[in-house]
Amino acid sequence: MCGRFVSRTDAAIERTFNVTPRDWRHDWASYNVAPTQPVPVIRTAGQVREGVMLRWGLIPFWAKGEPTRYSTINARAETIDTAASYRGPWRQGRRCLIPAVGYFEWQAVNGGKQAWFIRLAGGEAFAFAGLWEQSTKADGTVVETCTIITVPANPMVAEIHAKGRMPAMLEPQHCQQWLLGSVEEARATLATYPVEQMDAYRISSRVNSPRNNAADLLEPIN
């Protein structure tokens, strides 16, 4: 799964993902993105990629703009076409990219938990494959939200995360296929990321609290 991650919206990210901001917070950065917070999302408007800020935690269209009682921050790739919350945006092609430079997982150790930072081996930016949705409140307010799709974990992540899941990660060259490809082409991108192209290291328990949000959270510890 993916419950916290690191993201930014600087000029380098915009160039990497060929995005034209519409409602995008320029030079925004978060070193500890948490559920329900606004996150940067890239989606298509015709053939143009636009950058917007959406609530992380998908609210289905039928929920009338109100969060559900169950978690919707992650959607399993195996059931996005059947699960009640996700089959709508999946069938309507509401696919999106959620840019990131890494994410956090917690490993059970000696009765406690050890936080890890997981990223591409070179530290480059990538994107989570996601879905977005619109839902309208009783007063007519339209709420736009998103979820991150997960796939089976590779061996490195499986050693850290007991549930054996990881986010679907896309390099820039695969993003067009996810955003604008056919259903079959898009599904083909939802693969477990190769373990030899990733790395992970232990970090401080300060990351446990979303209130802590600074670059030094990413410093490795022994």
Side-chain angles (χ1 to χ4, degrees):
M1 62 178 294
C2 178
R4 304 274 188 82
F5 65 98
V6 181
S7 186
R8 64 176 192 264
T9 61
D10 55 23
I13 290 288
E14 292 175 2
R15 289 193 301 270
T16 296
F17 294 102
N18 190 27
V19 57
T20 301
R22 178 175 69 83
D23 182 22
W24 185 296
R25 298 181 188 175
H26 289 281
D27 293 324
W28 173 94
S30 177
Y31 299 94
N32 198 359
V33 180
T36 76
Q37 294 178 352
V39 298
V41 171
I42 301 166
R43 62 187 180 186
T44 56
Q47 295 295 312
V48 177
R49 296 183 186 181
E50 64 176 13
V52 295
M53 302 294 289
L54 303 185
R55 177 191 185 276
W56 181 23
L58 189 141
I59 298 176
F61 78 94
W62 43 260
K64 299 182 179 179
E66 300 299 331
T68 62
R69 289 178 294 177
Y70 49 88
S71 175
T72 55
I73 63 171
N74 294 157
R76 294 174 66 92
E78 297 89 339
T79 57
I80 52 175
D81 56 346
T82 58
S85 294
Y86 311 120
R87 63 192 180 201
W90 170 252
R91 293 171 182 173
Q92 295 168 23
R94 290 183 171 176
R95 304 190 292 259
C96 64
L97 307 171
I98 302 171
V101 294
Y103 70 101
F104 306 115
E105 285 295 359
W106 283 261
Q107 182 182 39
V109 290
N110 299 324
K113 291 186 177 181
Q114 171 63 58
W116 288 74
F117 183 54
I118 303 171
R119 60 177 188 171
L120 298 190
E124 299 92 347
F126 59 91
F128 298 127
L131 296 173
W132 67 276
E133 182 60 293
Q134 291 180 334
S135 188
T136 305
K137 292 186 175 183
D139 65 2
T141 302
V142 176
V143 180
E144 294 192 322
T145 58
C146 63
T147 187
I148 293 172
I149 297 173
T150 68
V151 296
N154 64 33
M156 180 189 75
V157 176
E159 288 189 9
I160 298 170
H161 184 45
K163 293 185 179 179
R165 303 293 295 180
M166 66 183 293
M169 300 164 58
L170 305 174
E171 292 182 277
Q173 63 267 29
H174 298 137
C175 291
Q176 187 75 354
Q177 182 176 340
W178 170 250
L179 287 174
L180 292 175
S182 66
V183 169
E184 293 75 17
E185 290 170 337
R187 188 179 286 280
T189 67
L190 300 178
T192 299
Y193 206 85
V195 65
E196 63 272 12
Q197 297 179 33
M198 298 178 64
D199 67 16
Y201 57 84
R202 297 175 180 85
I203 57 173
S204 166
S205 61
R206 291 188 302 112
V207 75
N208 296 355
S209 172
R211 289 190 293 271
N212 296 325
N213 192 334
D216 61 3
L217 290 178
L218 308 185
E219 294 179 359
I221 61 172
N222 294 328

